[in-house]
Amino acid sequence: MSEVTRSLLQRWGASLRRGADFDSWGQLVEAIDEYQILARHLQKEAQAQHNNSEFTEEQKKTIGKIAACLELRSAALQSTQSQEEFKLEDLKKLEPILKNILTYNKEFPFDVQPIPLRRILAPGEEENLEFEEDEEGGAGAGPPDSFSARVPGSSHLAPIKQKFFLEGTLLPRLPSEPGMTLLTIRIEKIGLKDAGQCIDPYITVSVKDLNGIDLTPVQDTPVASRKEDTYVHFNVDVELQKHVEKLTKGAAIFFEFKHYKPKKRFTSTKCFAFMEMDEIKPGPIIIELYKKPTDFKRKKLQLLTKKPLYLHLHQTLHKE
């Protein structure tokens, strides 16, 4: 097994475990998001050209079936019916199969078929993405945004929109408390020299203490609303999931810009920015962009570029 394949299988396994953990904890939005992003990456691998993949055709077929099961579990979590179509205990049976995909030779435990590859596009992205995928001998066509798969005893599911990926995992504002301050951060846009080439860009927002420990739930924005010149536009509000007065000394709010990399077939952090507590004040603010990997402890920071490119935010404070 090559180092690239080993690393890929480790990432897939970690993603599947994260999704199952969210699922078992009742964090359904996060579980659906994790399942659907992993399913999308598995689909791309399953439909990769022979010379672009280290997996055999039979292994890719199994990978495609695992993606179908992930979609089925996502659909079950979104269903309003009390009877779940595909259960968490069913999904957990996929972990050893995925982990041992190179030696797995048993019959797949669920009656599913690999699903068509779908592409999630931000507005105005279609032309760039199509050209880019053609150049790479990309994974190609198939009906966008939908799938159909079957498990024993169930009917075919209706097409399911990838809405949780498109809409992100943003959380509502907390209830107000007398004398306490809530913060809304509007992410307006980010400046990047190659803004137009970013596929499925979104921003992960987290609040960390000085040791890099999460102080609030992590939130993902929806995919960017548009790309224009050297800017990726979001125009979305993120509600801080803790009253400002309750944040520990030295905490910081991090913004990680992420995008999909077709050649490597996974979502990557391109750069990050952060805002410290003394920068929390009403009105607009622009903050500098730093090179990955994200340094939550803020000890070895390197600016992304010398060009005047920043993350543009607007803060609103709510206090009773």
Side-chain angles (χ1 to χ4, degrees):
M1 186 192 309
S2 73
E3 193 58 42
V4 172
T5 302
R6 181 180 290 107
S7 175
L8 190 61
L9 291 176
Q10 287 173 348
R11 286 198 302 272
W12 287 349
S15 178
L16 182 57
R17 287 190 295 275
R18 273 197 306 273
D21 285 344
F22 284 136
D23 200 340
S24 63
W25 298 334
Q27 294 178 246
L28 303 189
V29 172
E30 290 85 352
I32 291 167
D33 188 50
E34 195 73 46
Y35 290 154
Q36 293 189 333
I37 291 174
L38 176 57
R40 190 162 172 270
H41 293 173
L42 294 179
Q43 287 172 37
K44 286 180 178 290
E45 185 63 54
Q47 299 189 22
Q49 299 294 323
H50 178 69
N51 57 353
N52 288 333
S53 176
E54 295 193 40
F55 299 100
T56 66
E57 291 306 309
E58 198 60 36
Q59 289 163 357
K60 287 195 289 185
K61 188 181 294 185
T62 302
I63 289 170
K65 288 181 178 182
I66 293 172
C69 290
L70 289 166
E71 292 280 18
L72 284 172
R73 181 58 189 162
S74 297
L77 293 179
Q78 295 176 69
S79 174
T80 56
Q81 301 174 2
S82 58
Q83 181 70 29
E84 291 185 349
E85 299 275 9
F86 195 85
K87 298 182 183 300
L88 177 57
E89 51 264 37
D90 293 330
L91 184 125
K92 287 182 176 180
K93 296 175 183 176
L94 302 177
E95 188 176 341
I97 299 174
L98 188 58
K99 181 180 179 181
N100 301 301
I101 194 72
L102 297 180
T103 56
Y104 184 79
N105 57 8
K106 299 177 183 177
E107 185 176 352
F108 197 75
F110 305 105
D111 182 15
V112 296
Q113 293 302 317
I115 56 184
L117 179 69
R118 79 180 169 278
R119 298 182 296 180
I120 309 301
L121 306 178
E125 189 170 46
E126 290 84 353
E127 289 182 15
N128 291 339
L129 182 55
E130 199 165 310
F131 175 75
E132 191 169 306
E133 287 195 345
D134 284 346
E135 276 200 328
E136 294 170 2
D145 299 320
S146 66
F147 74 94
S148 179
R150 185 168 58 87
V151 292
S154 75
S155 59
H156 281 273
L157 294 169
I160 301 293
K161 294 288 182 182
Q162 182 74 311
K163 68 175 184 177
F164 282 92
F165 183 78
L166 289 171
E167 294 178 6
T169 59
L170 298 181
L171 299 168
R173 189 181 306 167
L174 294 175
S176 58
E177 291 183 18
M180 292 290 180
T181 307
L182 290 169
L183 171 63
T184 301
I185 302 173
R186 186 165 188 80
I187 300 177
E188 295 179 342
K189 61 185 180 180
I190 185 171
L192 297 165
K193 63 180 181 180
D194 56 350
Q197 297 174 30
C198 296
I199 299 175
D200 293 351
Y202 66 97
I203 290 177
T204 295
V205 182
S206 58
V207 184
K208 311 280 187 181
D209 67 10
L210 281 169
N211 294 314
I213 305 300
D214 282 312
L215 299 176
T216 67
V218 177
Q219 303 181 67
D220 290 330
T221 71
V223 166
S225 58
R226 76 181 196 277
K227 293 176 288 190
E228 188 176 76
D229 299 326
T230 55
Y231 288 102
V232 179
H233 293 261
F234 289 91
N235 294 312
V236 294
D237 289 336
V238 179
E239 304 292 347
L240 196 72
Q241 296 297 300
K242 199 166 221 179
H243 293 86
V244 174
E245 291 82 1
K246 295 180 181 179
L247 293 173
T248 57
K249 186 178 180 181
I253 305 168
F254 282 82
F255 306 85
E256 298 174 87
F257 181 86
K258 299 179 179 180
H259 65 132
Y260 185 74
K261 303 186 84 169
K263 288 182 180 178
K264 295 186 178 179
R265 296 190 283 279
F266 66 85
T267 297
S268 169
T269 298
K270 183 176 181 66
C271 60
F272 72 98
F274 64 89
M275 193 174 75
E276 297 183 315
M277 294 300 98
D278 61 357
E279 296 176 285
I280 295 179
K281 55 192 71 171
I285 180 175
I286 59 172
I287 54 179
E288 293 178 312
L289 306 177
Y290 295 95
K291 290 181 179 179
K292 63 178 183 181
T294 309
D295 181 8
F296 292 122
K297 296 182 180 180
R298 292 163 269 162
K299 290 184 176 178
K300 295 180 180 179
L301 300 169
Q302 277 189 289
L303 287 173
L304 179 67
T305 174
K306 293 179 181 178
K307 295 177 186 266
L309 299 172
Y310 306 96
L311 178 63
H312 295 247
L313 309 170
H314 190 281
Q315 302 182 76
T316 304
L317 298 176
H318 312 272
K319 189 169 185 176
E320 280 199 352

